[in-house]
Amino acid sequence: MTVTRKSYAKVNIFLKIVGKRDNYHELASRFVRVHSLYDLVFFENEACEEFTLEGNFGCELKKNTIYKAYLLLKDVSSKVEEYFKNKKVKVEKNIPEFAGLGGGSSNAATFMIMVNEECKLGLSKDDLCALAVQIGADVPFFVYEYDSANVSGIGEKIEKFDEEILDINVVTPKVECDTAMIFREFRANFYNEEKKENVLKLFSQKSTQILEDSSISAANDLYKPAKSIYNELEDFEKKGWFFSGSGSSFFKVNNGKN
């Protein structure tokens, strides 16, 4: 029997840098799940001598977030390695990579949720999150499966935000944004820490209100450094459109509800 689950994209309604922690930047952001854009993760019956992952990925197996998640879960229980002797993992990719939409992070989280259910590991969302943060900063958000959440720290602090599901359009230019390079540019030429009172205000507001009150660069601290490296991003600037994560995707909210 094939097991299937949707692996949703996300956008950052706002993204503000609030400090530094070692080599990481601490952030405050509103993550919102994009219901119209998702990959599909399949567990398909097949005898496998080793963990098998198929999909149109832009990296080798050992760097893939799903593989990293597999290694962590296999240490939790021997049932995981045993399960994948008779199952292969297949991913139908629809979320663009290097685009600020969290596709790889979403895939890892979706895989972890599926394995937890299929192998009856009995891990709570908090348990999964403790593993997820070892894979990447965005993975915990997807583990909790919230439609909207305030995210802080280096991405590990997730607080559900109750609001209507947003109808989001996404456009991704053919620009592969290098997140590390954009953060270096931010630190060198654009560094600014958002004040705590401003963050608390943003955390309390609905996403539609935040976008109504913000410009593209005011909403996302990484837009100006991204644009300074990838000048062609400016060609995609339009009124009512915003920038997700470190890019290169732009998005707009069509209305308040589906």
Side-chain angles (χ1 to χ4, degrees):
M1 186 183 96
T2 299
V3 182
T4 312
R5 201 177 189 106
K6 291 178 179 177
S7 175
Y8 292 99
K10 62 83 182 164
V11 293
N12 300 83
I13 298 297
F14 68 89
L15 191 158
K16 311 302 290 183
I17 306 301
V18 297
K20 299 174 188 172
R21 187 197 303 176
D22 302 322
N23 293 323
Y24 295 96
H25 289 87
E26 293 199 320
L27 58 85
S29 185
R30 170 76 49 76
F31 283 34
V32 169
R33 194 151 62 158
V34 182
H35 282 255
S36 58
L37 181 59
Y38 52 85
D39 297 337
L40 290 170
V41 180
F42 302 89
F43 291 174
E44 295 184 347
N45 291 335
E46 187 170 306
C48 301
E49 291 185 9
E50 57 186 14
F51 182 75
T52 303
L53 174 61
E54 295 179 358
N56 185 23
F57 300 107
C59 65
E60 60 178 309
L61 175 66
K62 290 183 179 177
K63 291 183 178 177
N64 191 283
T65 54
I66 288 177
Y67 184 68
K68 291 176 182 178
Y70 166 71
L71 294 179
L72 290 171
L73 290 172
K74 146 174 115 68
D75 285 344
V76 170
S77 171
S78 59
K79 290 189 284 187
V80 175
E81 192 170 6
E82 202 60 37
Y83 180 82
F84 286 105
K85 288 180 180 177
N86 295 296
K87 295 278 186 183
K88 71 175 180 182
V89 183
K90 186 176 172 183
V91 182
E92 183 183 298
K93 290 294 292 178
N94 300 301
I95 303 170
E97 297 183 299
F98 310 106
L101 300 172
S105 298
S106 178
N107 290 169
T110 303
F111 172 82
M112 295 175 84
I113 292 165
M114 293 170 73
V115 172
N116 190 38
E117 291 175 357
E118 289 299 302
C119 296
K120 297 180 170 54
L121 301 182
L123 298 174
S124 67
K125 291 290 192 187
D126 290 344
D127 294 334
L128 287 175
C129 182
L131 296 171
V133 75
Q134 299 175 53
I135 302 168
D138 290 351
V139 184
F141 165 73
F142 292 106
V143 163
Y144 284 108
E145 299 185 278
Y146 296 146
D147 287 316
S148 180
N150 289 328
V151 178
S152 56
I154 58 170
E156 82 282 14
K157 297 174 184 173
I158 318 291
E159 185 181 345
K160 184 180 181 183
F161 186 79
D162 288 316
E163 62 180 344
E164 65 272 18
I165 291 174
L166 302 178
D167 180 15
I168 296 168
N169 273 7
V170 177
V171 170
T172 305
K174 293 193 185 313
V175 180
E176 292 189 359
C177 286
D178 185 316
T179 300
M181 193 184 298
I182 289 168
F183 270 105
R184 282 196 296 272
E185 175 70 8
F186 171 80
R187 185 175 286 204
N189 297 309
F190 296 91
Y191 194 81
N192 179 56
E193 292 185 6
E194 190 65 51
K195 293 177 181 175
K196 186 176 180 180
E197 56 266 31
N198 292 345
V199 169
L200 292 174
K201 181 182 177 184
L202 288 167
F203 276 169
S204 69
Q205 290 182 302
K206 285 192 171 187
S207 294
T208 49
Q209 185 64 55
I210 293 167
L211 296 179
E212 201 173 294
D213 294 343
S214 303
S215 66
I216 187 170
S217 56
N220 189 333
D221 284 349
L222 298 181
Y223 182 59
K224 284 182 178 178
K227 192 168 62 167
S228 75
I229 298 170
Y230 306 99
N231 307 115
E232 59 270 41
L233 290 174
E234 197 165 1
D235 297 338
F236 293 86
E237 270 190 44
K238 294 178 187 172
K239 183 174 171 56
W241 287 78
F242 294 85
F243 194 64
S244 185
S246 57
S248 61
S249 294
F250 293 80
F251 70 93
K252 73 169 182 176
V253 175
N254 293 327
N255 51 53
K257 298 177 182 178
N258 274 343

